[in-house]
Amino acid sequence: MTEKLYLENPYLREISAKIVKKEYSNNKFYLTLNRTIFYPHMSGGQPKDTGTIDGVKVIDVYEKNNEIIHVVEENIKKDKVHLSLDWNTRFDHMQQHTGQHILSAAIAKLFNAKTVGFYIGKEYTYIDVTLSNLEKKDIEWIERYANEIVFSNFNIKKYVINEEDIHKLPLRKKPSVKKNIRIVEIDGIDYSPCAGTHHTSTGEVGMIKIKKWDRYKDNTRIEFICGNRALKDYTWKNYYINEISNLLSLKDKDTLKGVKRIYDENKKLLKEVKEMKEELLKYTSEKLINMSKDYNSFKISNNIFTDIDFKDMRYMASIILNNYDNIILIWGLKNENKAQILLGKSKNIKIDIKEIFNNIIDIIDGRGGGSPYLVQGGGENIENLSICMQSGLRLIQTQLNAQ
C-alpha cells in the first residue's frame, strides 16, 4: 500500500521515494512507489497533481487497489527517485476544494440543502445543490456568508474516525467508506468526509466568487472560483469594464446602462434596416419579373448574381413564387469560393425541377436539394456556372414543350 503523504501534509512539494513496482504497457511506464505526494486523478472530484519523477513528467496519476500509480513515458532505471510537485497546480486545487467545502457548508446552514455534485475543472468549479429557483439575493447571501468564513481564518483539521464514531459528529454527508473515514473539519462549523487536499485555515482560500447559477435537472448548478482564479477573473473583467467605460465616456458603474442604451438603439436601427432591405428586395423581385423572358405561356427568370447574399436571393424567390403564377426561376450566384444555383417554380406549373436540378448540379461539382417547388445547391466549380445554367434552361424548356 502506497503511503499517501499528501493526506498528512498537503504542503510537501518534494520528497524522495522508492519504486516498488514497474510495468510497461502501451508505450508507457506505470510506477508504484512506497510513498507519494501526488494526488490521484478525480479522487472525490479533485483532479490529479502534476509534476516530475527524477525530472520525467508525470502524465497521469490514479489509484488502484489502495496503490497510487504514476504514469510516465520515459523509463526511470533507478529504484530511489526524487518527486517534485507542481505547487501552483496543487495550491489551486486546494483553494478550489477547500472553497467548495466552505460554500457547501454555507448553503447547508442557510438553506438546509445538500451538495450532490462537485467538479473542479481547469477554468471553473461547480457544485450541484438540492435547491431550485435561487434568486440573485439568495446567491449574494450565500456568497457573503461563505466569504465571512474565509475571512475569519478558521482552523481546518483533518483526522480519521471509525464507523462506530460517525454518530458523534454532525456530518454534512454520509461517508463512502466504512473504515478509516477521513474527516475534514472547519473549526466546528462543518464536518465532511473527504480524502482531498485542503488548507490548514480558511483564509488561504483568498475569496469565493460565484460566477453563475442555473437549473440542472431538479437541482441548481452553481459555478464558482476561489483564490487566485478569482483574482485572475477580476483582473480581466476590471480591465474590460475600464476600457468600455472609457469608450463610452462613462463611469465604470454606469457602463451597463450605457451598453443597454446602445444595444436598444442598435436593435431599433437593425429593425429599420431590415424593413428597408425587405422593401428593396421586393422592388428588385418585381424588377426581375418584368425582366423575365416569355416562353409559351410562362415567364422564365434566368439570372446570374454576383453582389447579393444567397439568403437574400432565396428571400426574393419566395416572394415571387408565393405571389405569382406561371413563373420559373433559374438563378445563379457567383462568388470567390463557390457557385450556387436556385431553381423554383410557381405551384401551378407541372415540371419536375428536382429532376432538372439533379441533372445539372454535377456540372459545378455540387450538391443540394429542396422541395418540389424550390431547390438549391452549390459547388466549387465556379467556371462552369454559366454552362450549368444553360443546361438547366434547356431542360426546363424541354419539359415545358412536352406539356
Side-chain angles (χ1 to χ4, degrees), residues 166-187:
I166 290 177
H167 69 280
K168 298 178 182 179
L169 298 175
L171 298 183
R172 181 163 43 83
K173 65 177 183 178
K174 293 181 179 180
S176 58
V177 294
K178 293 186 176 181
K179 60 181 181 178
N180 296 323
I181 303 167
R182 185 171 183 263
I183 303 298
V184 175
E185 177 193 339
I186 303 176
D187 211 6

Side-chain angles (χ1 to χ4, degrees), residues 25-276:
S25 177
N26 298 321
N27 298 318
K28 298 181 182 68
F29 294 89
Y30 297 79
L31 310 180
T32 304
L33 311 178
N34 66 326
R35 61 181 193 163
T36 187
I37 53 175
F38 282 86
Y39 189 86
H41 185 58
M42 297 309 288
S43 178
Q46 182 175 320
K48 67 180 184 295
D49 283 323
T50 59
T52 60
I53 299 177
D54 268 9
V56 176
K57 183 179 179 181
V58 178
I59 61 174
D60 197 10
V61 189
Y62 62 91
E63 186 171 10
K64 183 179 181 181
N65 299 326
N66 285 324
E67 301 286 1
I68 306 300
I69 313 300
H70 308 71
V71 184
V72 295
E73 291 181 323
E74 298 179 33
N75 188 17
I76 300 174
K77 298 180 179 180
K78 296 190 301 181
D79 291 335
K80 292 183 178 180
V81 292
H82 181 79
L83 279 63
S84 180
L85 202 65
D86 180 346
W87 175 246
N88 289 333
T89 298
R90 162 63 66 80
F91 190 77
D92 173 61
H93 292 168
M94 290 170 69
Q95 285 191 318
Q96 308 316 310
H97 201 162
T98 306
Q100 176 266 314
H101 277 236
I102 295 170
L103 191 60
S104 292
I107 292 170
K109 290 186 180 298
L110 296 177
F111 294 92
N112 194 31
K114 296 180 180 180
T115 296
V116 293
F118 166 50
Y119 170 79
I120 298 177
K122 289 183 178 181
E123 300 294 332
Y124 60 87
T125 305
Y126 69 71
I127 54 174
D128 296 329
V129 296
T130 55
L131 289 171
S132 59
N133 301 320
L134 279 174
E135 298 180 2
K136 182 175 179 288
K137 62 180 179 63
D138 300 322
I139 292 296
E140 290 175 349
W141 189 22
I142 293 168
E143 188 177 78
R144 184 168 60 250
Y145 189 94
N147 278 295
E148 285 176 358
I149 296 175
V150 173
F151 302 148
S152 297
N153 202 28
F154 291 117
N155 290 327
I156 300 175
K157 295 178 283 186
K158 285 82 72 175
Y159 47 86
V160 176
I161 64 172
N162 294 318
E163 186 178 21
E164 57 267 22
D165 296 322
I166 290 177
H167 69 280
K168 298 178 182 179
L169 298 175
L171 298 183
R172 181 163 43 83
K173 65 177 183 178
K174 293 181 179 180
S176 58
V177 294
K178 293 186 176 181
K179 60 181 181 178
N180 296 323
I181 303 167
R182 185 171 183 263
I183 303 298
V184 175
E185 177 193 339
I186 303 176
D187 211 6
I189 298 172
D190 184 59
Y191 299 80
S192 181
C194 183
T197 56
H198 292 277
H199 295 297
T200 57
S201 63
T202 59
E204 293 181 75
V205 173
M207 72 169 292
I208 299 171
K209 183 60 190 174
I210 296 175
K211 294 185 68 176
K212 64 178 183 178
W213 66 98
D214 298 291
R215 288 293 302 273
Y216 180 73
K217 297 181 179 179
D218 294 327
N219 303 309
T220 295
R221 174 161 290 179
I222 299 176
E223 182 181 315
F224 66 97
I225 47 179
C226 304
N228 288 327
R229 292 193 189 190
L231 176 61
K232 183 179 178 181
D233 185 72
Y234 178 83
T235 299
W236 74 260
K237 286 180 178 176
N238 183 62
Y239 173 76
Y240 279 20
I241 288 293
N242 287 333
E243 288 294 300
I244 294 169
S245 65
N246 288 335
L247 286 172
L248 301 181
S249 298
L250 295 170
K251 293 180 179 180
D252 54 1
K253 291 184 178 180
D254 296 328
T255 53
L256 179 59
K257 290 181 181 178
V259 170
K260 283 183 175 179
R261 174 178 55 79
I262 293 173
Y263 175 82
D264 290 338
E265 290 174 354
N266 186 61
K267 187 176 180 181
K268 182 181 178 181
L269 288 172
L270 287 175
K271 182 181 179 182
E272 293 174 356
V273 169
K274 182 181 178 183
E275 290 173 351
M276 292 174 64

